[in-house]
């Protein structure tokens, strides 16, 4: 299960209400970790690039300020 969460799919808790009304603070979202890149598990080393995010995609990323996992929609 740990390998699957690190390489294939993972879930995150929405940390703020910035995506209201689509996502509420505290909601859990399931993320496809293979949507844009294939990475070595437990690292950020990209093995194969699969595509680029498109306008309207909901993405997760770590905040550069404090490392909190954020959930945002691309515009």
């Amino acid at each position: 299960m740990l390998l699957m969460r690190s390489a294939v799919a993972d879930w995150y808790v929405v940390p703020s209400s910035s995506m209201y009304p689509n996502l509420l603070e505290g909601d859990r979202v399931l993320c496809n970790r293979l949507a844009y890149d294939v990475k070595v598990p437990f690292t950020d080393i990209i093995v194969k690039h699969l595509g680029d995010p498109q306008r309207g995609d909901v993405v997760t990323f770590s905040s550069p300020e404090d490392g909190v996992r954020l959930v945002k929609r691309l515009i």
Side-chain angles (χ1 to χ4, degrees):
M1 184 66 163
L2 187 61
L3 184 61
M4 186 179 121
R5 279 194 67 191
S6 67
V8 179
D10 202 356
W11 64 86
Y12 299 104
V13 176
V14 178
S16 69
S17 60
S18 65
M19 291 282 294
Y20 180 83
N22 297 319
L23 296 173
L24 303 176
E25 186 174 351
D27 282 355
R28 290 182 178 91
V29 292
L30 183 64
C31 299
N32 177 3
R33 295 186 57 95
L34 298 174
Y36 306 118
D37 297 315
V38 175
K39 295 181 181 177
V40 176
F42 307 109
T43 69
D44 286 330
I45 299 171
I46 298 172
V47 176
K48 180 163 175 60
H49 180 72
L50 299 176
D52 294 318
Q54 301 294 316
R55 181 182 179 140
D57 287 354
V58 175
V59 297
T60 62
F61 60 95
S62 294
S63 170
E65 292 180 5
D66 54 11
V68 172
R69 181 63 70 169
L70 300 174
V71 180
K72 302 291 182 186
R73 182 178 309 276
L74 296 178
I75 59 167

